[in-house]
């Protein structure tokens, strides 16, 4: 029937949306992990230069960027 087809269509669309969101979340998780590792190694996420005291550099040169952790 028409209602059954419509319900199946909606269900299929919801599954596609869910799969897309899960893939997007996993991709963002990978990007975040990469940035965290670079910051842990002293690489500035804004200007991609390496610093011994990244915290001090961020305060003086990128004061508009707020710390996440």
């Amino acid at each position: 029937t028409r209602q059954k087809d419509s319900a199946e269509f909606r269900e299929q669309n919801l599954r596609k949306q869910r799969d897309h969101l899960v893939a997007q979340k996993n991709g963002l998780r990978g990007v975040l992990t990469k940035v965290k590792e670079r910051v842990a190694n002293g690489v500035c996420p804004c200007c991609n230069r390496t610093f011994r005291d990244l915290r001090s550099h961020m305060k003086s040169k990128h004061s508009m960027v707020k710390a996440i952790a």
Side-chain angles (χ1 to χ4, degrees), residues 56-69:
S56 174
H57 167 73
M58 292 300 291
K59 279 185 177 180
S60 66
K61 301 296 180 186
H62 308 292
S63 60
M64 299 297 283
V65 177
K66 299 292 181 192
I68 295 173

Side-chain angles (χ1 to χ4, degrees), residues 16-62:
K16 284 181 182 180
Q17 286 178 348
R18 180 199 61 204
D19 293 345
H20 174 75
L21 290 173
V22 167
Q24 189 176 33
K25 179 190 80 163
N26 291 337
L28 289 173
R29 183 182 294 158
V31 169
L32 180 60
T33 299
K34 184 177 179 179
V35 170
K36 283 182 175 181
E37 288 174 358
R38 288 175 55 81
V39 167
N41 289 321
V43 179
C44 175
C46 299
C47 60
N48 292 318
R49 293 171 50 205
T50 303
F51 298 90
R52 275 191 194 170
D53 188 359
L54 182 58
R55 183 180 305 262
S56 174
H57 167 73
M58 292 300 291
K59 279 185 177 180
S60 66
K61 301 296 180 186
H62 308 292

